[in-house]
Amino acid sequence: MRTLSALIATTLLTAVALPAAAAPSYDGGLSTPREDSYYPQHGDPGVDVLHYGLDLRWHRGSRTLVGSADITLRATADADDLQLDLGRTLHVREVSVDGTRVASSHDGAVLHVEQPVVSDQRYLVHVGYRGTPHTVAAPSTRSDQRGGLGMRVTKDGQLRTMQEPYGAFTWYPANDQPSDKALLDVRVTAPKGWVGVSNGRLLSRKRTAAGTVTRFHLAHPVATYLTTLAVGPYVHRTATGPHGLPLSYWLPRSDPERYLKVLRHLPADLRWLEDRLGRYPFESAGVVVVPGASAMETQTLVTFGAKTWAASEIPREILVHEVAHQWYGDTVTPSDWSDLWMNEGMAMYLEARWSASHGRAPWSAWTNYFSQRNRRDRAEQGGPGDYDPGMFASGCVYYCTSAMYEKLRGKIGNDAFWQLVQQWPQSQPDANVDRAGFAAMAEELSGQDLGDFFETWLTSPTWPPA
């Protein structure tokens, strides 16, 4: 039997040791998840992920991703089990909760973890998995999404992903909806001679017998659609932006100078954006150039398709658009995909303003184009705040909303408009937002009742409205 003195000593030692061993709280990842009105099949409002800790190893020869995910989450309600999104081609090897192995089932693209949970309690869920990532169909008619969403394996074995409105679950277990933002740490082991790249600051890069190991840390919470992973033959270049901001460029080894011709302008373009939006909201900025087309505002590290770089002048305008999203979409993120207009409309509006201010196209040409698209796109897709769910990220959310923003500027005045544009992301960093909040701030700054204005512009399927 243990003596009383030994028991007391053990208790004291445990009491002293516990705080040092206690897990991080990850309070910065607290969210209020909701079921998405457009794509409710993805994500679970019963789960609030606080932190994703991903350890990923890519085997190029076998096209196999071996993953280990440590997910700290909060249950938002009492439930008999937990649910996460996970791609059907990723095979679950083990699941544990708070260190104890538990049963699970992987039904299609949903991982069910058979663990009863209590509202507002936190749990550490570990998932070991492996498989070949595969894209999923996109709810869109856009040509650059015909190949699907999520992680793509190229012919030569590279990895790259773009995943809006969903698709993160094709490479890690996720609560794949915009209203659940979480902190992120990623460790990637890439084949020899290649490197793995993800969001945030590069903490370390080491060459081992297994390949190149990189570690990345994202200090601000991120929505799953804004995470990125690329594995390939990259070279790393760095620069400095406004107020000492670290800039990081991951470029194809074959011709990095081709991309640096445009990227050397990024510090100046960041300053242009900061003059209108306030200080850049994150700890770093940069670009990773991946095989394929299109571009995506992945947080702190824009994912840019090499094919989109074909025209020598176009990439700079697109880059301004994607970097503008770091304010509109990334630090303030819609709670629901019905408010995609908030992100894309402002990024498009600022892209056009940049273009006009840099002599690319006169502002009058842009406003005429917005007006023409406003009529045409509504008839085909619906209003930008009430678009057809099968036509995600089509023209209406870009051009109809840009026309609305210009009309709003005329209605409330230039000073109040630009005050709104800057205060919206600066007043609620790292938050999830909705149209009611945006309209309320516009009304407060202008002193006008704008309810009918926003309702008409966002929901009317015709123009002029019936």
Side-chain angles (χ1 to χ4, degrees):
M1 294 179 62
R2 304 173 74 185
T3 64
L4 181 60
S5 59
L7 181 59
I8 293 173
T10 301
T11 302
L12 288 173
L13 285 171
T14 302
V16 171
L18 272 177
S25 68
Y26 298 125
D27 285 351
L30 286 166
S31 305
T32 306
R34 54 177 287 183
E35 183 174 275
D36 189 70
S37 66
Y38 266 52
Y39 310 109
Q41 69 273 30
H42 297 284
D44 179 5
V47 169
D48 173 18
V49 175
L50 308 180
H51 176 260
Y52 294 99
L54 305 179
D55 189 349
L56 307 171
R57 183 186 299 269
W58 176 237
H59 296 276
R60 179 185 178 188
S62 63
R63 303 298 198 264
T64 302
L65 180 68
V66 179
S68 174
D70 290 314
I71 302 169
T72 302
L73 59 82
R74 177 181 66 91
T76 65
D78 294 351
D80 293 332
D81 63 4
L82 290 168
Q83 173 177 312
L84 293 165
D85 301 302
L86 183 63
R88 66 180 67 247
T89 63
L90 300 176
H91 306 290
V92 176
R93 305 170 70 186
E94 62 173 337
V95 177
S96 65
V97 177
D98 294 335
T100 301
R101 294 193 68 158
V102 298
S104 65
S105 61
H106 191 193
D107 180 15
V110 177
L111 172 63
H112 297 275
V113 180
E114 297 180 17
Q115 169 70 38
V117 294
V118 177
S119 178
D120 211 35
Q121 294 297 305
R122 301 185 184 192
Y123 302 88
L124 176 60
V125 178
H126 169 80
V127 182
Y129 60 98
R130 66 184 298 149
T132 302
H134 198 282
T135 58
V136 293
S140 176
T141 57
R142 286 176 46 154
S143 60
D144 60 348
Q145 293 194 354
R146 287 175 185 164
L149 299 172
M151 186 60 69
R152 181 178 296 276
V153 183
T154 67
K155 290 182 179 179
D156 64 348
Q158 295 187 56
L159 291 180
R160 55 102 168 173
T161 184
M162 292 188 190
Q163 53 205 27
E164 187 185 23
Y166 47 76
F169 70 91
T170 62
W171 55 285
Y172 66 96
N175 197 28
D176 209 357
Q177 59 172 328
S179 65
D180 188 4
K181 300 172 80 166
L183 301 168
L184 177 70
D185 285 279
V186 180
R187 181 179 185 269
V188 190
T189 301
K192 288 183 178 180
W194 284 15
V195 64
V197 182
S198 190
N199 307 75
R201 294 290 297 271
L202 174 66
L203 298 182
S204 65
R205 179 179 180 178
K206 296 180 180 179
R207 292 179 176 86
T208 70
T212 304
V213 181
T214 47
R215 293 174 56 243
F216 294 86
H217 171 69
L218 195 57
H220 294 258
V222 60
T224 51
Y225 81 96
L226 296 169
T227 60
T228 193
L229 175 70
V231 178
Y234 291 110
V235 295
H236 188 208
R237 298 287 185 266
T238 60
T240 302
H243 46 79
L245 180 70
L247 304 181
S248 190
Y249 310 137
W250 296 92
L251 309 173
R253 187 181 300 151
S254 58
D255 189 9
E257 295 303 319
R258 174 189 179 194
Y259 305 98
L260 287 170
K261 289 178 182 178
V262 170
L263 292 172
R264 71 171 185 267
H265 298 292
L266 183 56
D269 293 338
L270 277 164
R271 285 190 289 272
W272 187 92
L273 287 166
E274 286 195 335
D275 286 345
R276 289 149 183 83
L277 301 175
R279 190 174 175 119
Y280 179 79
F282 300 121
E283 67 273 21
S284 63
V287 174
V288 56
V289 178
V290 301
S294 197
M296 180 67 201
E297 63 269 22
T298 40
Q299 193 162 304
T300 70
L301 189 71
V302 170
T303 304
F304 212 122
K307 291 180 181 178
T308 309
W309 216 281
S312 60
E313 296 298 323
I314 290 175
R316 192 172 171 192
E317 292 186 16
I318 298 174
L319 187 57
V320 168
H321 179 111
E322 303 304 341
V323 175
H325 273 306
Q326 303 298 309
W327 285 267
Y328 275 78
D330 292 18
T331 190
V332 286
T333 306
S335 295
D336 189 270
W337 283 120
S338 62
D339 285 330
L340 174 64
W341 62 270
M342 197 180 300
N343 308 348
E344 296 300 352
M346 183 54 69
M348 187 69 248
Y349 187 84
L350 290 166
E351 177 188 339
R353 282 286 183 186
W354 181 93
S355 172
S357 70
H358 286 73
R360 303 294 182 92
W363 183 241
S364 59
W366 278 108
T367 56
N368 288 337
Y369 181 66
F370 292 154
S371 295
Q372 294 169 10
R373 291 295 300 261
N374 183 40
R375 293 174 181 268
R376 187 175 75 197
D377 291 345
R378 284 177 189 273
E380 179 186 52
Q381 303 153 26
D386 192 27
Y387 60 89
D388 182 339
M391 304 184 78
F392 181 83
S394 297
C396 69
V397 296
Y398 294 83
Y399 307 116
C400 300
T401 313
S402 293
M404 182 193 78
Y405 282 134
E406 180 62 1
K407 193 70 173 181
L408 180 64
R409 186 176 72 89
K411 185 175 181 63
I412 68 176
N414 190 67
D415 290 347
F417 173 77
W418 286 109
Q419 187 179 7
L420 169 66
V421 170
Q422 183 169 129
Q423 284 194 16
W424 179 242
Q426 294 292 337
S427 64
Q428 45 201 343
D430 301 330
N432 283 100
V433 295
D434 60 22
R435 68 186 66 181
F438 185 82
M441 180 173 283
E443 291 181 336
E444 179 182 354
L445 292 174
S446 67
Q448 298 182 34
D449 184 345
L450 299 170
D452 289 343
F453 174 88
F454 283 111
E455 178 68 18
T456 300
W457 273 94
L458 293 176
T459 64
S460 176
T462 61
W463 206 263

